[in-house]
Amino acid sequence: MVLQILILIAGLALIVVGADALVDGSTCVAKRSGISDFVIGLTIVGMGTSAPEMVVSFIGAIHGSADVSIGNVIGSNIFNTLLIAGVTALILPVAITKENRKVDIPYNIFVVLLLIALGMNATLTGLGSDSLSRIDGAVLLCFFAAFMYYSFKKGSSDNTEGQEAPKYGTAMSVIMIMGGLAGLILGGNLFVNSATDIAHRLNISEKFIALTILAGGTSLPELATCVVAAAKKNPSLALGNVIGSNLFNILLILGGSALIRPLSFASINYIDLGVLLLSSLLLLISAWTGKNNKVDRFDGVLFLLCFVGYFTYLFMNIN
């Protein structure tokens, strides 16, 4: 057991280091292309910090563990919005633009509703089964492609004046991207294998492990990125990272995982999906309430209370 815990920690360390290198390298390349901070956070940083979730969920799908793939994504999105956005808002209120209110946040809610409609098809309509099929995966990937096209098209016209210059040259950025990906793949394998082994030894469900340990561990890059962005008074990147990561997790990661192998929603219940939807709605409510167009410290406290409430529920129903 001790060895498995050490392997789990080593795998997580490789994931975090790999994601950091991938984000830095990708961000430098994006800045050289003249893309704005928010779009970098929404796309490049969002994708980079979602890379741990992608590796964990893809490996879970390859191993035939739908609970790992789905639980990791649902848990990570809840972590992103309720914990990470909540902590970020406590450090520095996060400004919300008109574009965020009318496009980015509503699209995030739409994607969550789409996931529920596809994954809980039998429960909602009485037809088919409660699972993501390969066709469902392809649908999610199409929406991902549309999201990326829109984001980069918009990003090329955004104002980038005052944006920091890239830290690294092109060659170094490419090396960091490749090295980061290698660390993610190796660390992801170690992390998933050790976590599932620990779950089996303790007779704990893979869903619980995925919603808590895997989701929390793979959300560390998002937490670090948002806290640093808030500390450096760049909350637009932090908000973009949260929304971008949530969209990547559902559209790219679950879409890709379902293409690898159809994913059963049998162990996912209304509470899990309800909290996922609630977290997205709270972000929308924050965008349209108050006078400062911000996710302020009051919102941050509300997010954290919801997070604590959900995880209290999980630990009371550990199996």
Side-chain angles (χ1 to χ4, degrees):
M1 179 68 76
V2 174
L3 177 61
Q4 291 302 319
I5 293 174
L6 292 175
I7 293 174
L8 182 79
I9 294 171
L12 179 58
L14 276 173
I15 287 173
V16 173
V17 171
D20 185 61
L22 179 63
V23 168
D24 284 347
S26 300
T27 300
C28 287
V29 172
K31 285 187 175 182
R32 289 183 183 280
S33 301
I35 297 174
S36 70
D37 277 337
F38 178 79
V39 176
I40 289 174
L42 190 69
T43 57
I44 302 300
V45 179
M47 182 167 59
T49 55
S50 287
E53 286 92 338
M54 181 169 63
V55 173
V56 168
S57 291
F58 280 9
I59 292 173
I62 292 170
H63 291 174
S65 179
D67 287 352
V68 167
S69 298
I70 299 173
N72 179 45
V73 165
I74 291 177
S76 293
N77 280 21
I78 291 171
F79 265 91
N80 287 348
T81 305
L82 297 183
L83 177 63
I84 297 175
V87 169
T88 303
L90 287 182
I91 297 172
L92 182 71
V94 180
I96 297 177
T97 67
K98 180 179 179 180
E99 187 78 14
N100 299 157
R101 291 198 305 273
K102 294 189 174 182
V103 179
D104 302 312
I105 296 175
Y107 190 66
N108 184 40
I109 295 172
F110 164 75
V111 167
V112 172
L113 292 172
L114 177 64
L115 174 65
I116 294 172
L118 294 176
M120 304 297 287
N121 181 55
T123 299
L124 295 174
T125 67
L127 302 173
S129 61
D130 286 338
S131 65
L132 285 180
S133 66
R134 288 189 170 91
I135 294 177
D136 295 332
V139 169
L140 293 175
L141 289 174
C142 286
F143 279 103
F144 170 74
F147 161 69
M148 290 295 289
Y149 174 78
Y150 169 80
S151 296
F152 277 104
K153 183 177 180 181
K154 176 182 178 298
S156 63
S157 62
D158 278 353
N159 181 22
T160 59
E161 185 178 350
Q163 190 169 261
E164 292 182 7
K167 293 181 180 179
Y168 308 103
T170 301
M172 186 61 186
S173 296
V174 172
I175 291 173
M176 293 175 70
I177 291 171
M178 298 302 293
L181 287 172
L184 283 168
I185 293 170
L186 177 58
N189 271 293
L190 293 174
F191 194 57
V192 171
N193 290 338
S194 58
T196 52
D197 185 66
I198 291 171
H200 292 154
R201 293 189 184 195
L202 296 177
N203 197 29
I204 296 174
S205 68
E206 289 185 0
K207 171 196 165 182
F208 177 82
I209 292 292
L211 284 170
T212 55
I213 297 175
L214 294 183
T218 55
S219 292
L220 286 177
E222 285 94 336
L223 177 61
T225 299
C226 289
V227 169
V228 169
K232 292 183 177 180
K233 302 188 184 304
N234 189 2
S236 62
L237 189 148
L239 179 62
N241 182 37
V242 166
I243 297 174
S245 293
N246 287 352
L247 293 174
F248 274 100
N249 287 348
I250 294 175
L251 297 178
L252 175 61
I253 297 175
L254 283 186
S257 297
L259 279 186
I260 295 172
R261 181 172 298 187
L263 304 174
S264 171
F265 268 64
S267 67
I268 304 300
N269 60 41
Y270 289 117
I271 300 296
D272 305 319
L273 294 173
V275 174
L276 176 64
L277 180 59
L278 174 64
S279 65
S280 301
L281 292 174
L282 284 175
L283 198 57
L284 181 67
I285 292 171
S286 298
W288 288 98
T289 56
K291 299 180 179 179
N292 298 319
N293 294 324
K294 294 179 179 179
V295 180
D296 57 26
R297 289 184 172 90
F298 174 82
D299 297 319
V301 171
L302 178 61
F303 285 12
L304 291 174
L305 288 175
C306 292
F307 175 82
V308 170
Y310 175 59
F311 273 79
T312 298
Y313 158 79
L314 285 180
F315 279 95
M316 289 177 64
N317 299 271
I318 195 167
N319 289 316

